[in-house]
């Protein structure tokens, strides 16, 4: 079982220079520490990444969103597909399996529904619960300011460090870091990340029991 995130940049056509979104997107994908073989940017503003550790998928999606939203006016929509991988190609876009199909199909649904994050697996109970959580989280995440997104990005890159250390990286006061994280509802989003990991862990355990 693997997780596939397929995504694209929202409103990319409003920007004449593609480097405006390509730079933060490449940085985000590179800093996931996932081998370049398992991610690719295609059609200019679309991307796909394969995540072997399924529990990390929401965290990685959150990080990608934070990176992209450090540019004013940009956002990203992402579909997480969880399932098997039937074939591994030389590049990720040549691979296939239900995880790839779930992710690709769900991205098309997102465009019609005009929402920015959704998961699909073959387990409807998991999909329904997590997608409700995502809808609630997006109320905040879709409205991150550039400052909030930048602070969330740094917080995820340096998870667990003191706010005083983050303040030095950002060049602001510790109080400013605290306020930005609070406005971004960072703690609540990390609670959701913890819940996501628990749900996926249970799913993986059930998969092992069937073998």
């Amino acid at each position: 079982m693997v997780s596939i995130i397929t995504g694209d940049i929202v409103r990319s056509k409003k920007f004449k220079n593609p480097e405006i979104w390509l730079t933060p997107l490449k940085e985000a994908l590179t800093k996931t520490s996932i081998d370049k073989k398992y991610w690719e940017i295609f059609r200019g503003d679309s991307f796909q990444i394969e995540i072997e550790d399924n529990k990390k998928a929401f965290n990685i999606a959150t990080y990608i969103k934070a990176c992209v939203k450090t540019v004013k006016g940009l956002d990203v929509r992402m579909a997480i597909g969880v399932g098997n991988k039937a074939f591994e190609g030389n590049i990720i876009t040549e691979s296939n399996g239900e995880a790839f199909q779930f992710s690709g199909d769900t991205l098309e649904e997102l465009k019609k529904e005009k929402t920015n994050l959704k998961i699909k697996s073959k387990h409807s109970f998991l999909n329904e619960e997590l997608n409700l959580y995502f809808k609630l989280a997006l109320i905040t995440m879709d409205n991150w300011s550039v400052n909030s997104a930048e602070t969330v990005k740094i917080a995820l890159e340096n998870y667990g460090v003191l706010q005083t250390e983050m303040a030095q990286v950002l060049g602001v006061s510790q109080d400013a870091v605290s306020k930005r994280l609070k406005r971004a509802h960072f703690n609540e989003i990390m609670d959701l990340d913890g819940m996501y990991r628990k749900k996926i862990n249970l799913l993986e355990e059930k998969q092992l029991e069937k073998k």
Side-chain angles (χ1 to χ4, degrees):
M1 192 169 79
V2 297
S3 292
I4 304 297
I5 298 177
T6 308
D8 61 10
I9 301 297
V10 179
R11 297 185 294 273
S12 63
K13 291 179 182 178
K14 290 178 69 176
F15 297 85
K16 292 180 181 179
N17 183 0
E19 286 301 318
I20 288 172
W21 69 79
L22 283 173
T23 298
L25 181 58
K26 284 178 182 175
E27 179 187 5
L29 294 170
T30 300
K31 287 194 174 180
T32 61
S33 298
I34 291 174
D35 192 288
K36 176 65 176 71
K37 179 183 178 182
Y38 296 105
W39 62 263
E40 186 176 355
I41 298 172
F42 57 96
R43 290 204 305 261
D45 65 352
S46 301
F47 63 94
Q48 193 166 66
I49 182 167
E50 178 182 329
I51 303 160
E52 186 177 7
D53 187 346
N54 295 285
K55 294 183 285 295
K56 291 183 177 180
F58 175 72
N59 190 280
I60 288 173
T62 301
Y63 181 66
I64 293 170
K65 189 175 184 76
C67 288
V68 170
K69 286 185 74 67
T70 59
V71 179
K72 189 174 182 180
L74 279 186
D75 206 342
V76 59
R77 75 186 131 227
M78 291 171 284
I80 303 172
V82 182
N84 68 31
K85 178 168 73 169
F87 172 77
E88 181 170 320
N90 293 322
I91 56 175
I92 185 173
T93 48
E94 292 178 353
S95 299
N96 63 47
E98 64 182 6
F100 292 86
Q101 292 162 8
F102 288 155
S103 184
D105 292 346
T106 303
L107 184 65
E108 293 306 310
E109 291 175 17
L110 288 178
K111 293 175 183 177
K112 295 174 185 175
E113 295 170 5
K114 295 186 178 179
T115 190
N116 289 333
L117 183 64
K118 199 170 184 180
I119 186 172
K120 184 174 182 181
S121 70
K122 60 185 177 183
H123 304 281
S124 58
F125 66 91
L126 180 78
N127 302 339
E128 289 173 10
E129 185 174 357
L130 288 177
N131 283 327
L132 174 58
Y133 297 154
F134 289 174
K135 279 184 181 180
L136 295 172
L138 286 173
I139 294 170
T140 293
M141 295 168 74
D142 282 347
N143 290 291
W144 280 341
S145 66
V146 169
N147 282 344
S148 291
E150 184 180 30
T151 308
V152 170
K153 173 181 177 290
I154 296 299
L156 289 171
E157 288 174 354
N158 304 275
Y159 193 69
V161 304
L162 296 173
Q163 289 184 2
T164 50
E165 295 176 58
M166 288 178 56
Q168 291 177 348
V169 174
L170 290 163
V172 298
S173 68
Q174 182 271 326
D175 186 54
V177 170
S178 178
K179 287 178 178 177
R180 287 182 186 184
L181 291 176
K182 191 171 183 179
R183 281 196 299 270
H185 294 276
F186 182 72
N187 288 340
E188 290 81 0
I189 289 166
M190 289 299 95
D191 287 343
L192 174 51
D193 182 45
M195 175 63 74
Y196 185 92
R197 290 170 186 266
K198 286 180 183 178
K199 296 290 182 183
I200 297 299
N201 188 56
L202 286 171
L203 191 62
E204 289 178 332
E205 287 177 355
K206 286 181 180 179
Q207 292 288 108
L208 288 172
E209 287 173 5
K210 289 180 181 179
K211 290 183 178 180

